[in-house]
Amino acid sequence: MAIKDLANGRGTASDAGGGGGGGGDVKAHFVFIPMMFQGHLIPAVDTALLLATHGALASIVVTPSNTGRVRPAVDFARKSGLPVRLVELPLELAAEGLPHGADDVDRVPPDLWANYFRALARLRAPLERHLRAHAPYPTCVVADFCHPWARELAASLRVPRLCFFSMCAFCLLCQHNVERFDAYGGVAGDDELVVVPGLERKVEVSRAQAPGFFRGMPEFEKFADEVEQVLAEADGIVTNSFLEMEPEYVAGYAEARRMKVWTVGPVSLFHQRATTLASRGNTAAIDADECLRWLDGKEPSSVVYVSFGSIAHAEEKQVVELGLGLEASGHPFIWVVKNADQHGEDVAEFLRELEARVAGRGLLIRGWAPQVLILSHAAVGGFVTHSGWNSTVEAVTAGLPVVTWPHFADQFLNAKFAVEVLGVGVDVGVMEPVMYRLDQKEIVVGREVVEKAVRSIMDGGDEGEERRRRARALAAKARAAVEEGGSSHGNLLDLVKNFEFKVGAGCDAIA
Ligand code: UDP
């Protein structure tokens, strides 16, 4: 199997600031194994780069079709002198019955997801060989929770293993509690709401909204058990959140899991310093300068940004309802229309006509948007989001109120967190999940609901002002968390210290 150590084109570990087997001028060596979905990959890369700013070598494992998605940020970091390596490992697609190109998660057919996860597990042996062959020896593996095979890797290397999540501790604790206290036991149906046990606050959720990681799909039942077991045995958790936003849930989750939780977010703030705001994930479908020029022409806090992340995409009739709702709201908007090319001619024509009607007021981005660049512009005043965690924490970082429109996975719990706990959101009222490319529900949210929700975060009267005030206060806390003396800054330093090179370091390296 061909493996490329991409960042080390000229050779040795010291090219990446690595030094010899003892670590040279780097203090630790973290091996990041992200899941290749962009909502997992982007924050894992940001976290790796943040650790590198504190003197640790970060090796980031990618599969070939994802290299281009992380390359700009990594190249920028390397040019700034940060010790970062990109390790590209091809997936053995044919061996798991996957078609050519299925290395790109966007191109994995839904019925072959289990095969995709098996193909990922095959990375273990070649990755181990690579790590043994390239000094310095790792001091810690940081693997996405979707990679249970990382347990064997870390055990064989005799190094500690941390589980990486881009989720809030609130979501992790709710999910853990409904499972460990069997809250769904005896419910009449998947849509029945239960109170999440073990929290001071009353939070209600249904099995349909929060089934648990990989639960509810018969072909993944065994895998789900393995994911839980491997998580329970981790040496700690690293997550894209920050302590001041949710201290009781961070403490609660650490206690429930009996392990340390390092909150290191908001990790997107790495890019405030690195001016790579516009190059996270896919190549943007709009030029960053064009986007900024458009925003520069708008009043402060007047524009609503609408995006549903990297996976969810709307059915045709839903696209039309959403577009009409945005038009009726009267507010300037940027709308990221994913998979626009997959819709029929009717929708394409609807979008063209809408664009003409709202010319100057509405900007449609067909494809990938430079999201954090947009969110951090002063003209943006609100975010209609699918409540993916990264989008939620990016909204918090920008001090923006949100309309929450969850689709699946952790999004329902994130939406509850934004609306009920943080008090910065208005929910559109979706109760059931729409699974990616599996369900074909046409209209989930009507145009009037969209219009009303947008108006309430953008105009909103006293309540709206209060939401905006809370959002801004949170943004100030987010920034303080990553600055020197802040909790996330401290946790990054603590990670480097805990996993630094030690003579004879092994699995007992955690202080
Ligand atoms: N993102 C982006 N441009 C897009 C769509 C998404 O930059 O057009 C980024 C977004 O900033 C976030 C990530 O992709 O960092 C999406 O993660 P999230 O957890 O919000 O949602 P997911 O894609 O996992 O559903």
Side-chain angles (χ1 to χ4, degrees), residues 39 42 280 307 309-311 336 367-369 371 386 388-391 394 411:
I42 292 171
R280 295 167 84 232
S307 174
S310 63
I311 302 174
V336 186
W368 194 255
Q371 179 161 307
H386 70 309
W389 178 247
N390 296 292
S391 294
E394 287 159 17
Q411 296 161 14

Side-chain angles (χ1 to χ4, degrees), residues 17 36 46 131 136 149 206 278 309 413:
M36 302 299 153
D46 288 350
L131 293 171
W149 53 272
S206 71
L413 284 168

Side-chain angles (χ1 to χ4, degrees), residues 260-508:
K260 184 147 182 169
V261 175
W262 282 274
T263 49
V264 294
V267 297
S268 63
L269 282 173
F270 169 82
H271 297 276
Q272 304 289 340
R273 290 192 291 272
T275 62
T276 45
L277 280 166
S279 48
R280 295 167 84 232
N282 282 347
T283 306
I286 184 168
D287 179 63
D289 288 337
E290 184 190 339
C291 200
L292 290 176
R293 266 197 306 279
W294 191 90
L295 284 164
D296 285 345
K298 300 288 174 286
E299 295 295 317
S301 303
S302 67
V303 177
V304 61
Y305 172 72
V306 185
S307 174
F308 298 93
S310 63
I311 302 174
H313 68 261
E315 291 302 318
E316 298 200 344
K317 288 185 180 163
Q318 182 64 78
V319 172
V320 173
E321 292 297 306
L322 173 53
L324 292 174
L326 291 174
E327 182 180 12
S329 78
H331 285 279
F333 62 86
I334 294 182
W335 176 19
V336 186
V337 188
K338 268 197 82 224
N339 309 97
D341 52 338
Q342 287 166 25
H343 297 310
E345 187 42 41
D346 286 356
V347 173
E349 197 180 326
F350 165 79
L351 291 174
R352 280 195 298 272
E353 287 172 7
L354 176 75
E355 262 177 321
R357 289 198 302 275
V358 297
R361 169 161 80 85
L363 175 66
L364 269 59
I365 300 178
R366 292 173 174 80
W368 194 255
Q371 179 161 307
V372 284
L373 179 83
I374 294 172
L375 293 179
S376 49
H377 194 285
V380 177
F383 183 2
V384 177
T385 172
H386 70 309
S387 301
W389 178 247
N390 296 292
S391 294
T392 305
V393 77
E394 287 159 17
V396 162
T397 309
L400 298 173
V402 288
V403 168
T404 55
W405 183 332
H407 287 59
F408 53 83
D410 57 330
Q411 296 161 14
F412 283 89
L413 284 168
N414 297 337
K416 284 175 201 290
F417 183 58
V419 175
E420 297 172 23
V421 181
L422 299 182
V424 298
V426 171
D427 194 65
V428 286
V430 177
M431 295 302 283
E432 286 175 42
V434 184
M435 291 304 287
Y436 169 60
R437 285 189 283 170
L438 295 177
D439 294 350
Q440 298 296 319
K441 289 182 191 129
E442 290 188 327
I443 300 175
V444 183
V445 179
R447 66 190 79 170
E448 298 82 9
V449 179
V450 173
E451 178 189 346
K452 189 166 167 240
V454 169
R455 284 186 188 277
S456 58
I457 58 158
M458 298 305 283
D459 339 290
D462 288 349
E463 259 184 53
E465 277 312 310
E466 184 54 23
R467 267 193 297 272
R468 195 170 292 284
R469 194 197 55 72
R470 284 198 209 102
R472 287 189 175 143
L474 266 175
K477 287 185 184 174
R479 276 174 195 279
V482 300
E483 277 160 18
E484 204 166 337
S487 59
S488 295
H489 188 271
N491 279 339
L492 287 163
L493 290 173
D494 193 53
L495 277 167
V496 175
K497 189 164 179 302
N498 267 287
F499 302 104
E500 67 190 359
F501 294 106
K502 289 185 184 128
V503 177
C507 289
D508 55 349

Side-chain angles (χ1 to χ4, degrees), residues 12-142:
T12 64
S14 54
D15 281 337
D25 53 357
V26 291
K27 298 176 190 154
H29 180 190
F30 291 90
V31 178
F32 272 77
I33 315 174
M35 181 63 200
M36 302 299 153
F37 288 106
Q38 311 234 35
H40 298 231
L41 181 63
I42 292 171
V45 170
D46 288 350
T47 305
L49 300 183
L50 281 164
L51 283 166
T53 64
H54 293 295
L57 169 63
S59 291
I60 303 167
V61 178
V62 275
T63 59
S65 65
N66 297 294
T67 305
R69 292 176 170 147
V70 305
R71 163 74 81 193
V74 168
D75 279 354
F76 185 91
R78 282 176 56 78
K79 278 190 199 119
S80 320
L82 296 184
V84 186
R85 294 174 178 176
L86 215 43
V87 181
E88 186 185 276
L89 296 165
L91 284 185
E92 291 184 50
L93 297 170
E96 291 298 346
L98 287 159
H100 178 70
D103 157 38
D104 180 350
V105 283
D106 288 346
R107 293 170 63 187
V108 180
D111 56 329
L112 293 180
W113 277 115
N115 307 48
Y116 178 73
F117 280 91
R118 284 199 299 274
L120 285 171
R122 286 174 177 265
L123 294 177
R124 193 192 69 70
L127 177 56
E128 181 172 345
R129 279 197 298 277
H130 174 87
L131 293 171
R132 288 187 182 281
H134 293 78
Y137 200 77
T139 58
C140 183
V141 167
V142 186

